[in-house]
């Protein structure tokens, strides 16, 4: 809950053992410094209620091999981001994204240890979601019911034990659910519902 807007570019350089970065309620924070890339010991990042405008950090987050939890809630600055990719992260276990009203595509493909996508709320423009090759075990009901979601990919998700069929209001135009270990990859034909 500080009034910080940004940090010096080398702010994180001397913190190689930092494990949790919690910037909660820093309403004026608009960017993180490049030195965030040096935080190789981070296990948790929470950035709720900030004004971070761009996430050119996705590649940096991919290099954080101990990161287990990433929370982005009510980040009012996501106006420039249309696509978020955090693919193939080796240790990420939970992901939370709330109030990113301009995001159209989100991919967590290949995050094999990802067990929980707690919620994806207020993502009214989300058109594509790829949770293929993850360790997700339950899909929250709000995900397939997102109003503009046209493509939902769950390919190669053998740990998925619960899909919210009972709360389903609509199916995306393209819905692929494949619980085999050898998911065949992304299917591109429109208006498809495929389950294996």
């Amino acid at each position: 809950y500080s009034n910080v807007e940004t940090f010096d570019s080398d702010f994180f350089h001397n913190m190689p053992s930092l494990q949790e970065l919690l910037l909660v309620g820093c309403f004026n924070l608009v960017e993180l410094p490049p030195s965030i890339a040096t935080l190789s010991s981070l296990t948790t990042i929470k950035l709720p209620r900030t004004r971070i405008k761009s996430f050119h950090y996705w590649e940096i987050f991919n290099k954080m091999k101990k990161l287990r939890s990433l929370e982005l809630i009510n980040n009012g600055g996501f106006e420039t981001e249309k696509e978020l990719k955090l693919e193939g992260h080796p240790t990420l276990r939970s992901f939370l994204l709330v109030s990113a009203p301009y995001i159209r595509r989100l991919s967590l493909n290949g995050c094999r240890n990802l067990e929980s996508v707690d919620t994806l709320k207020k993502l009214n423009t989300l058109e594509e979601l790829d949770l293929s090759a993850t360790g997700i075990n339950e899909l929250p009901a709000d995900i397939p019911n997102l109003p503009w979601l046209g493509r939902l990919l769950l390919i190669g998700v053998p740990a998925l034990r619960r899909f919210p069929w009972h709360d389903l209001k609509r199916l995306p135009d393209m819905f692929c659910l494949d619980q085999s270990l050898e998911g065949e990859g992304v299917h591109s034909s429109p208006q498809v519902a495929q389950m294996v």
Side-chain angles (χ1 to χ4, degrees), residues 5-115:
E5 294 179 11
T6 187
F7 296 96
D8 291 335
S9 61
D10 61 348
F11 184 81
F12 293 115
H13 273 298
N14 295 317
M15 302 181 195
S17 300
L18 186 68
Q19 294 181 350
E20 294 186 356
L21 179 61
L22 312 174
L23 296 170
V24 178
C26 297
F27 300 105
N28 296 322
L29 183 63
V30 293
E31 68 178 348
L32 294 173
S35 60
I36 193 172
T38 64
L39 300 178
S40 59
S41 296
L42 275 182
T43 60
T44 303
I45 299 175
K46 293 184 181 183
L47 301 171
R49 296 182 299 279
T50 68
R51 289 181 48 229
I52 293 176
K53 293 186 179 185
S54 176
F55 261 86
H56 51 272
Y57 311 106
W58 293 113
E59 289 180 18
I60 294 170
F61 291 159
N62 272 326
K63 293 176 184 174
M64 294 178 176
K65 301 303 182 195
K66 295 182 181 178
L67 187 64
R68 296 178 63 150
S69 177
L70 179 58
E71 291 186 16
L72 306 167
I73 304 171
N74 293 328
N75 286 315
F78 275 152
E79 298 174 9
T80 60
E81 296 294 324
K82 304 256 188 267
E83 180 174 40
L84 298 180
K85 283 187 176 185
L86 190 61
E87 297 180 338
H89 196 284
T91 57
L92 190 67
R93 290 186 181 267
S94 71
F95 181 82
L96 178 64
L97 179 63
V98 177
S99 284
Y102 297 95
I103 303 297
R104 291 189 180 162
R105 290 174 294 285
L106 173 61
S107 178
L108 297 166
N109 188 323
C111 296
R112 298 226 176 256
N113 287 313
L114 182 68
E115 298 171 350

Side-chain angles (χ1 to χ4, degrees), residues 146-159:
L146 288 167
W148 291 104
L149 190 64
R151 183 176 170 139
L152 176 58
L153 301 175
L154 294 159
I155 300 169
V157 288

